[in-house]
Amino acid sequence: MTDKETPSGDAATVRKQTDDALRDAAWRLESIIEGTHVGTWEWNVQTGETVYNEVWAQIIGYTLDELAPSSIKTFETFVHPDDLKQSDELLEKHFAGELPYYDHDCRMKHKDGHWVWVHDRGRVITRTDDGKPLMMFGTHTDITERKQAEEVLRQHDTYLAALHETSLELINRLDLTELLASIVTRATQLVDTAHGFLYLVNPEGTLLEVRLGIGIYSGYIGYQLKLGEGLSGRVWQTGQPMRVDDYAVWSHRADSFTHSGFHAIAAVPLKSGARVIGVIGVGRIDPDVSFGDADIEILSRFAELASIALDNASLYKAVKQDVTERKQAEEALVSSVSLLKSTMESTADGILVVDRNGRITLWNHRFADMWHIPEELLSDRLDETALNYVLQQLAQPETFLGKVRELYGHPEESSEDRIDLADGRIFQRYSRPERIGDEIVGRVWSFSDITDRRRAEEETQRERAYFDQLVETAPEGIAITDPHSRVIRVNAEFVRMFGYEADEAVGRCIDDLVAFPACEEEAKGISESTNQGKTVFLETTRRRKDGSHIDVSIIGAPILIAGKQEANYAIYRDITERKQAEAEKEALQAQLHQSQKMEAIGTLAGGVAHDFNNLLTGILGNIALMRSNLPPGDPLLENLTAAETAARQAADLTKGLLTFGRSAMVLPVPMNITAALDTTLTLLKQSLPATMDIVRDEEQPAWNVLLDQSQMTQILFNLAVNARDAMNGKGTLTISVRNEVVGEEYLQAHPFARAGEFVHLSVTDTGLGMSSEVIQHLFEPFYTTKPIGSGTGLGLSVVYGAVKQAGGWIIAVSTKGAGKTAPHIGQTCSGATFDIYLPRCLEEPRESVAPPAASVTTARGTVLVVEDEPVVRTVAEALLSRSGYTVLTAPDGASALSVLRDHPDSIGLILLDMTMPGMTTGEIVRAIRALDPTVPILLNSGYTSNAAIERMLDEGTVQGFLGKPYDPNQLVENVQKLISM
């Protein structure tokens, strides 16, 4: 049925089936292509629009999204310029119908910078009405590995050809000039370079002379070196191959043999027997390519054969010069051939040569040993027999045999592959045609035992894996740099420490990366030291990517490979927390030192106050006695008054010292802090100038504190006077009160504090502020910044002592010249703030009870005065005697007890000094109570522990306390009150 006869419904069905089949075929084709990892492209030749698949992009290291928008320009951008021209020529031929397919091998630039070999194949699938190409479809296949294998094979072909042709030159090329040119040319071809040279030792054996040079060495013919001079001179001296990666910076280069284009150089000796007769050398000018161990090995083997050729050429020249020496030359030639055979036997490779008829023409003992083939079997010279023997030892004999048959079937082909033996050994097999002239006469097989090398490579891979694991999991940051300090590698901890991703760090100078400007010289010194082979240890500061600083310890050292420094490493340990801990420790030690110093000064101040108070007691007592003996109006009364005033001022000073030393006698009671402030401020406002404003800011209700009203007065009065002087009498004094709970966070910053509930009293002035140096000595007695004669330096010491005695602490905060806002008043100032913390008292304040009026009674009774200071004892005796008391005295505790025994019933009161030699106060009191449990004891002292007095008063072992210095009325009133109990 024709198309015209097909019913319309059937036609639609056919079209649908056809479309489905086409879609199914397209899907299957796409799946097959994707599964084979082949890149595809569809090109609209007329518009340039090109569609690539994902594999096409992956071959050069990209994704399709990274290449969008795509066109034919995308391909042209990445293809090597040298290959693009040939691609265009092939396309034009295909468009013109001269080629059925466009087929081309080209290089394309990979994302990471290296070149990828691609097999590009395609054809035009549709054309325009006028015959022009419209749509073209093609594929890309990654053939990089194949190209690399071909390159390796080419090098081995070159090597084998060089060995073969050099062997032929023993017979065919006896002209020395031609031979030298051939040797240098072959040497450069073996290692794929265009630059080479050849030195020969002069007849005298004193100098090396360049006899031939090609490439950049062509201008050095005739140049001479001494033994040990430069690279070639050292090869001559040692008889060993040498190579230099960068001759321009090599410290042992010959002074006059310099060239800006020189980079890598390798040289091997030419020997006649054990004597070095010359040096073959090759060079590279590309700074990114150097010579490896394989190059040195190839050159060394080549030099062995070249040496024989030179010996033969020299012999031939000698024969031409003197016919009479022909016999000797022939013998030498025989010797050289023998040496060639010996060289073949000494090579590490097993060699087998087979002619076109399957006959073995040559083999060495190494071949027989490697394959464990008996010599008698090889003596039959049948390749098939040897092949069957070899097949029994292989892990994959079929593959081996297939390759042999293939190469015998294609005599012109060369090959290189790996062979696995059943016993675990691994051989590398090389095969190339044997030629005589242009004729192929057989095949050369060469086998290298690479078992140890393979195992070493596997071991190296394992060690590299261990190394990678060690580096990446190390708790320290690690950076590996080249000799120019450029980063080669960083580990995960380095990334965490400094904030740089690995790809951001690699390639950059490590000093530019993590050293901030202030440490540039230090960082440069570390790099220079490690480049000189030294190991560096230090602690310093480095910079993160975000600009923040981090304290680190650094270990920098060189990385040596086979005794040569190839790179450097730096290990960074984050010591920020340790440094912070050390700083905190130093701060704590400083605070402890200051606290110990303040305690020592307090003890000293208390001792001085004690002695001074004894003297003042004697002075004030004698003044009172003298005053009582003078009639009214006596001129001496004015002098006595002046002396008494001076003595009482001195008493105030000693009281300040005792307060600082927390030795003043106080009787703390629960009190409302607000009420205590009210009482103190009423007195304070009368003492301050009207130009000073006092602002109160209190949290209601404030907690109670356990305090003596005199302590509150001392604290506020001295702080206010200090503020007045700081503000020159004009400014604002802010007093605030807050209830605060001190927690662990506060204790970390203020270790001298303690946790709990406290009333926070803050006093802020608007003065000029203080420096940190002044704050360090602020609470020390007699320390003042005022001019001489303008202050005692005891005001803040008294505050310190009163606060400490109340169980609290005080902190001064100020920065000289730095403005700040005073709390709650909005005034900008640079003054000082004193923060006082007093422990909360849970007891309620007691109502004050007015003391009963003193009764006027006639003084009578006996008082025992126990005092070690004679002047105080004499004054007390006189004052009490004048008041009507009978007075007994004792200079110490033991004497007092003796007097008490002698007068068991007549003593009505004991006036007992608390600091005397011999017995302690507690021992004396206990001894008194053992003799008389009821006699009242009135303690008196110029310096003693407030806690000790309170304890004895609470226990009832003593009945009162009178501080020194005291005046006659205080003494008599206290004695009268207690003796009449």
Side-chain angles (χ1 to χ4, degrees):
M1 181 182 290
T2 66
D3 291 343
K4 293 182 179 179
E5 296 172 328
T6 302
S8 60
D10 291 343
T13 302
V14 170
R15 281 197 302 272
K16 183 176 185 307
Q17 292 174 346
T18 301
D19 291 343
D20 291 343
L22 288 173
R23 280 195 297 271
D24 183 60
W27 179 83
R28 287 163 57 194
L29 177 60
E30 182 178 352
S31 298
I32 292 170
I33 291 174
E34 292 296 332
T36 56
H37 198 71
V38 173
T40 64
W41 50 269
E42 295 179 60
W43 175 28
N44 187 319
V45 181
Q46 299 303 314
T47 65
E49 180 183 1
T50 308
V51 178
Y52 304 99
N53 72 344
E54 191 67 45
V55 176
W56 191 95
Q58 290 173 356
I59 289 174
I60 56 174
Y62 292 88
T63 65
L64 284 178
D65 292 339
E66 292 179 301
L67 298 178
S70 60
S71 67
I72 192 62
K73 294 295 183 182
T74 305
F75 168 77
E76 294 173 350
T77 299
F78 290 97
V79 74
H80 194 286
D82 296 344
D83 299 336
L84 182 60
K85 182 178 179 181
Q86 185 180 9
S87 174
D88 291 339
E89 293 174 353
L90 293 172
L91 280 172
E92 290 299 328
K93 290 183 178 180
H94 175 61
F95 291 162
E98 298 177 17
L99 296 174
Y101 285 92
Y102 160 73
D103 199 315
H104 182 224
D105 290 349
C106 60
R107 291 161 290 177
M108 297 189 71
K109 191 80 168 199
H110 194 274
K111 184 178 182 180
D112 63 10
H114 74 273
W115 291 101
V116 178
W117 276 99
V118 173
H119 178 66
D120 191 12
R121 179 179 174 87
R123 69 184 182 89
V124 175
I125 56 177
T126 60
R127 294 181 178 268
T128 62
D129 294 340
D130 55 359
K132 294 180 180 179
L134 178 60
M135 294 300 297
M136 187 172 181
F137 177 83
T139 61
H140 265 199
T141 305
D142 187 345
I143 60 171
T144 304
E145 291 185 0
R146 192 191 81 193
K147 285 289 185 179
Q148 291 173 345
E150 290 174 352
E151 176 61 21
V152 172
L153 181 61
R154 185 192 65 78
Q155 291 179 357
H156 282 285
D157 285 345
T158 304
Y159 171 54
L160 290 173
L163 291 179
H164 181 74
E165 291 186 13
T166 302
S167 299
L168 293 177
E169 284 171 354
L170 293 172
I171 301 172
N172 299 329
R173 196 180 295 279
L174 297 176
D175 180 78
L176 184 61
T177 302
E178 293 179 2
L179 178 60
L180 294 178
S182 178
I183 289 173
V184 175
T185 301
R186 284 298 181 185
T188 57
Q189 291 174 350
L190 282 172
V191 293
D192 193 23
T193 181
H195 313 285
F197 56 85
L198 187 147
Y199 282 90
L200 289 180
V201 178
N202 66 359
E204 295 79 15
T206 57
L207 293 171
L208 269 180
E209 182 177 336
V210 177
R211 298 296 299 274
L212 191 72
I214 62 174
I216 60 174
Y217 300 106
S218 59
Y220 288 91
I221 295 176
Y223 182 80
Q224 294 179 333
L225 288 175
K226 297 177 182 178
L227 184 68
E229 182 181 6
L231 181 68
S232 297
R234 287 180 170 234
V235 173
W236 178 25
Q237 182 181 47
T238 63
Q240 299 296 323
M242 291 185 67
R243 71 173 187 264
V244 174
D245 291 342
D246 192 346
Y247 189 80
V249 298
W250 188 48
S251 60
H252 300 293
R253 69 182 184 276
D255 294 337
S256 56
F257 197 84
T258 58
H259 191 286
S260 60
F262 292 165
H263 178 58
I265 300 179
V268 297
L270 293 166
K271 295 183 178 180
S272 176
R275 180 173 58 91
V276 176
I277 61 173
V279 175
I280 302 176
V282 291
R284 298 190 193 278
I285 60 175
D286 187 347
D288 295 325
V289 183
S290 58
F291 294 105
D293 292 340
D295 297 321
I296 294 294
E297 182 180 356
I298 290 173
L299 287 173
S300 297
R301 293 186 181 182
F302 175 74
E304 293 174 359
L305 299 178
S307 298
I308 297 172
L310 285 171
D311 278 349
N312 285 332
S314 298
L315 288 173
Y316 176 72
K317 181 178 180 181
V319 169
K320 288 177 65 177
Q321 292 174 351
D322 188 356
V323 177
T324 60
E325 298 177 359
R326 181 184 307 165
K327 183 63 177 178
Q328 296 176 352
E330 291 175 353
E331 292 175 354
L333 181 59
V334 172
S335 176
S336 296
V337 173
S338 175
L339 180 61
L340 176 61
K341 293 181 178 179
S342 298
T343 301
M344 183 175 173
E345 286 299 331
S346 65
T347 182
D349 293 345
I351 297 174
L352 177 73
V353 182
V354 181
D355 66 16
R356 297 292 300 275
N357 298 317
R359 298 280 299 176
I360 298 174
T361 60
L362 183 67
W363 78 90
N364 63 356
H365 287 89
R366 177 61 177 159
F367 173 81
D369 291 342
M370 290 176 65
W371 289 103
H372 308 307
I373 301 177
E375 290 285 343
E376 57 270 17
L377 188 148
L378 291 172
S379 298
D380 293 339
R381 299 188 177 274
L382 295 177
D383 181 46
E384 192 69 26
T385 304
L387 179 61
N388 292 330
Y389 198 90
V390 165
L391 291 174
Q392 301 174 20
Q393 305 177 51
L394 298 174
Q396 296 178 324
E398 299 83 1
T399 303
F400 181 94
L401 183 59
K403 190 66 176 179
V404 170
R405 299 300 185 210
E406 176 186 343
L407 291 174
Y408 280 153
H410 299 82
E412 74 285 354
E413 294 291 332
S414 297
S415 174
E416 175 190 351
D417 58 354
R418 165 179 161 167
I419 302 170
D420 294 320
L421 276 70
D423 61 6
R425 288 181 296 160
I426 303 171
F427 289 172
Q428 195 80 14
R429 175 174 60 179
Y430 309 94
S431 180
R432 64 180 300 277
E434 179 191 12
R435 299 176 187 269
I436 297 179
D438 294 331
E439 181 185 0
I440 298 176
V441 298
R443 178 162 294 277
V444 178
W445 301 90
S446 176
F447 299 91
S448 298
D449 188 341
I450 61 171
T451 307
D452 292 341
R453 189 182 78 192
R454 285 290 183 180
R455 289 172 180 170
E457 289 174 354
E458 293 172 357
E459 181 63 25
T460 299
Q461 291 174 355
R462 282 195 296 272
E463 291 178 356
R464 180 58 185 263
Y466 298 154
F467 173 77
D468 289 343
Q469 183 72 9
L470 176 65
V471 169
E472 288 304 318
T473 59
E476 290 84 13
I478 298 175
I480 300 175
T481 61
D482 64 16
H484 302 290
S485 299
R486 291 188 296 264
V487 175
I488 301 173
R489 176 178 181 175
V490 295
N491 70 342
E493 180 62 13
F494 182 96
V495 171
R496 186 201 67 77
M497 286 176 63
F498 294 102
Y500 292 98
E501 294 298 330
D503 57 353
E504 293 179 293
V506 172
R508 293 182 60 183
C509 176
I510 187 66
D511 298 338
D512 296 339
L513 202 65
V514 299
F516 50 91
C519 290
E520 284 182 356
E521 291 302 319
E522 173 195 87
K524 186 182 297 183
I526 295 173
S527 297
E528 291 176 353
S529 295
T530 53
N531 281 333
Q532 294 171 3
K534 300 177 182 177
T535 300
V536 179
F537 303 87
L538 81 159
E539 293 182 356
T540 184
T541 306
R542 286 293 180 261
R543 177 186 61 195
R544 295 187 177 95
K545 180 181 178 182
D546 61 9
S548 62
H549 291 180
I550 177 174
D551 292 318
V552 295
S553 66
I554 302 176
I555 300 176
I559 297 176
L560 302 177
I561 299 177
K564 179 183 177 184
Q565 184 171 344
E566 298 287 350
N568 301 311
Y569 71 85
I571 300 176
Y572 299 85
R573 174 173 292 177
D574 186 346
I575 59 172
T576 304
E577 291 186 0
R578 197 196 82 196
K579 286 291 186 181
Q580 291 173 346
E582 290 176 354
E584 291 173 0
K585 181 179 179 180
E586 289 177 3
L588 290 174
Q589 289 176 337
Q591 291 173 358
L592 176 61
H593 175 72
Q594 181 69 8
S595 175
Q596 291 172 337
K597 182 172 70 173
M598 296 294 281
E599 290 292 335
I601 293 174
T603 302
L604 175 63
V608 172
H610 167 262
D611 294 338
F612 203 55
N613 278 334
N614 279 331
L615 297 175
L616 289 174
T617 301
I619 293 171
L620 290 171
N622 281 294
I623 289 174
L625 291 173
M626 291 175 64
R627 187 190 299 277
S628 66
N629 291 324
L630 293 175
D634 191 304
L636 291 176
L637 289 174
E638 184 176 350
N639 299 104
L640 289 176
T641 300
E644 183 179 11
T645 300
R648 293 195 182 280
Q649 289 176 344
D652 289 338
L653 286 176
T654 59
K655 186 175 181 181
L657 288 173
L658 287 172
T659 301
F660 170 76
R662 290 171 279 165
S663 299
M665 179 59 187
V666 294
L667 296 175
V669 294
M671 67 167 56
N672 182 280
I673 190 74
T674 302
L677 285 174
D678 292 339
T679 302
T680 304
L681 289 177
T682 300
L683 299 173
L684 188 60
K685 289 179 180 179
Q686 298 173 3
S687 305
L688 296 177
T691 52
M692 279 184 61
D693 295 328
I694 299 178
V695 177
R696 294 181 62 176
D697 176 52
E698 301 175 38
E699 181 180 87
Q700 297 295 336
W703 290 332
N704 298 327
V705 294
L706 188 65
L707 205 64
D708 189 302
Q709 180 61 48
S710 65
Q711 292 175 304
M712 177 58 73
T713 302
Q714 287 175 327
I715 292 170
L716 280 184
F717 183 80
N718 283 291
L719 288 178
V721 170
N722 183 75
R724 178 200 66 192
D725 295 341
M727 298 186 295
N728 292 323
K730 184 179 181 180
T732 301
L733 183 67
T734 303
I735 302 174
S736 65
V737 178
R738 292 286 186 274
N739 298 331
E740 289 191 16
V741 177
V742 175
E744 290 299 324
E745 184 177 352
Y746 182 89
L747 295 183
Q748 290 179 1
H750 306 86
F752 50 81
R754 65 182 188 277
E757 295 179 330
F758 291 85
V759 174
H760 179 188
L761 174 63
S762 179
V763 179
T764 302
D765 64 58
T766 57
L768 297 177
M770 298 173 288
S771 66
S772 58
E773 182 180 356
V774 171
I775 291 179
Q776 289 179 2
H777 305 282
L778 194 60
F779 298 113
E780 296 176 8
F782 307 116
Y783 178 79
T784 180
T785 58
K786 299 174 185 177
I788 297 176
S790 301
T792 63
L794 282 175
L796 294 179
S797 302
V798 169
V799 174
Y800 177 87
V803 172
K804 284 288 189 179
Q805 195 169 24
W809 66 87
I810 181 171
I811 304 170
V813 180
S814 178
T815 303
K816 189 172 183 179
K820 66 178 183 179
T821 301
H824 317 297
I825 63 172
Q827 179 177 343
T828 300
C829 60
S830 58
T833 296
F834 292 86
D835 293 308
I836 299 169
Y837 288 81
L838 299 172
R840 178 185 182 183
C841 178
L842 298 178
E843 296 183 36
E844 292 298 323
R846 305 167 190 166
E847 294 185 7
S848 58
V849 179
S855 59
V856 180
T857 59
T858 302
R860 60 172 180 246
T862 300
V863 177
L864 172 58
V865 177
V866 186
E867 173 65 61
D868 63 321
E869 288 291 338
V871 63
V872 179
R873 188 169 65 246
T874 301
V875 166
E877 182 181 6
L879 291 174
L880 292 172
S881 297
R882 290 174 63 88
S883 299
Y885 293 102
T886 300
V887 180
L888 301 174
T889 63
D892 52 45
S895 300
L897 295 176
S898 180
V899 173
L900 185 59
R901 291 189 192 95
D902 294 340
H903 303 80
D905 299 320
S906 60
I907 295 176
L909 180 137
I910 299 175
L911 180 62
L912 177 61
D913 181 41
M914 294 189 66
T915 52
M916 291 186 298
M919 300 174 68
T920 66
T921 302
E923 291 172 342
I924 297 173
V925 170
R926 286 193 294 273
I928 291 173
R929 288 296 172 230
L931 296 173
D932 189 341
T934 61
V935 61
I937 299 175
L938 176 61
L939 298 176
N940 73 105
S941 177
Y943 163 67
T944 190
S945 168
N946 190 57
I949 297 170
E950 290 181 353
R951 185 182 69 255
M952 286 188 285
L953 288 171
D954 291 341
E955 292 173 352
T957 54
V958 300
Q959 283 64 50
F961 174 79
L962 178 62
K964 296 177 182 178
Y966 48 75
D967 58 30
N969 290 333
Q970 288 178 314
L971 176 61
V972 173
E973 286 177 3
N974 278 277
V975 170
Q976 181 180 344
K977 181 176 65 174
L978 293 179
I979 205 169
S980 59
M981 290 176 61

